[in-house]
Amino acid sequence: MIRGIILDCFGVLYVDASKVYFANFPKLHDELYDLNKLSDHGFIGKDDYITSVAKITGVSEAETADAFQKEYVINDEIIDWLKRDIKPHFKIALLSNIGRGWIQDFFDEHQLHDLFDVVVLSGEEGVTKPNPIIFERAAERLGLEPYECLMVDDRQDNVEGAQTAGMQGVLFVSNHQLKEAVRAVAAEKEIL
């Protein structure tokens, strides 16, 4: 039975700004995705990208540019859901590949303490995901066995590393998909 949920930071709790913005336009997904590919491959520059996104979405260029100013934005929907629905029923850990001293740029000490029971950072551990050792440390610090933990990450190799350590793993694709995956786990505990 799952008693702990371990979450990656970048790609889950902090997500690419364009993904958050594009979620506002689900009917334009294919057009915006194609535009992203053109930009990623260098066929269009930043200014042309912003102009094209603004034209497709009907949002001003200034508002569009502002939406893409930061590379990562906090995934407020998941943070709120964790606090409200998950924390009362599961232990929660943050496990991130990040250097020493960087996490405070994303979460202050109050947020870290209130949301997570445990914070495990590769820069402090000297080992990174997908090495199974770091997943084992996260479980141990939660006071759980690896098989009692569910790891959520946006990279398949990290999910596989967690599975090698004995955890269940979920590849993060969307907020909806993550909530459904955790609901399935929670059904075993007859909660949510």
Side-chain angles (χ1 to χ4, degrees):
M1 178 178 296
I2 299 297
R3 296 176 48 212
I5 298 178
I6 303 171
L7 300 118
D8 173 46
C9 187
F10 302 106
V12 178
L13 300 177
Y14 268 84
V15 292
D16 184 302
S18 65
K19 287 183 181 178
V20 173
Y21 187 70
F22 291 166
N24 296 318
F25 308 98
K27 293 181 180 175
L28 302 174
H29 175 270
D30 292 344
E31 285 179 84
L32 294 169
Y33 177 78
D34 290 344
L35 193 57
N36 251 8
K37 287 183 81 169
L38 290 173
S39 177
D40 288 348
H41 286 91
F43 295 121
I44 60 173
K46 179 181 178 181
D47 291 340
D48 290 335
Y49 177 76
I50 296 296
T51 300
S52 298
V53 169
K55 184 177 180 182
I56 291 170
T57 61
V59 176
S60 74
E61 286 186 36
E63 288 178 85
T64 301
D66 188 51
F68 294 114
Q69 187 138 13
K70 290 184 173 182
E71 184 178 358
Y72 289 101
V73 295
I74 195 160
N75 191 343
D76 284 320
E77 180 183 343
I78 291 300
I79 297 293
D80 292 343
W81 172 72
L82 288 169
K83 288 178 190 174
R84 183 186 62 245
D85 298 336
I86 303 307
K87 184 119 173 112
H89 306 288
F90 295 92
K91 291 182 177 184
I92 300 176
L94 170 65
L95 173 55
S96 184
N97 284 349
I98 190 170
R100 272 182 268 173
W102 286 99
I103 199 67
Q104 289 76 14
D105 290 349
F106 301 94
F107 295 100
D108 64 33
E109 289 302 317
H110 181 72
Q111 291 169 314
L112 287 172
H113 175 71
D114 287 351
L115 184 57
F116 305 107
D117 297 294
V118 170
V119 176
V120 179
L121 307 174
S122 64
E124 295 173 2
E125 300 298 321
V127 62
T128 60
K129 298 180 292 178
N131 189 318
I133 292 170
I134 199 162
F135 298 104
E136 292 165 358
R137 287 182 187 171
E140 181 180 317
R141 293 196 186 138
L142 281 172
L144 301 173
E145 293 296 325
Y147 68 85
E148 296 177 296
C149 298
L150 173 71
M151 178 67 204
V152 179
D153 204 293
D154 65 314
R155 292 184 43 167
Q156 184 63 38
D157 60 334
N158 291 338
V159 170
E160 291 168 4
Q163 291 168 334
T164 299
M167 296 180 179
Q168 289 186 38
V170 170
L171 181 66
F172 178 81
V173 176
S174 70
N175 290 351
H176 175 75
Q177 168 262 348
L178 172 58
K179 289 177 182 180
E180 289 301 311
V182 173
R183 279 189 192 105
V185 167
E188 295 174 14
K189 292 179 74 166
E190 298 180 0
I191 55 175
L192 297 181

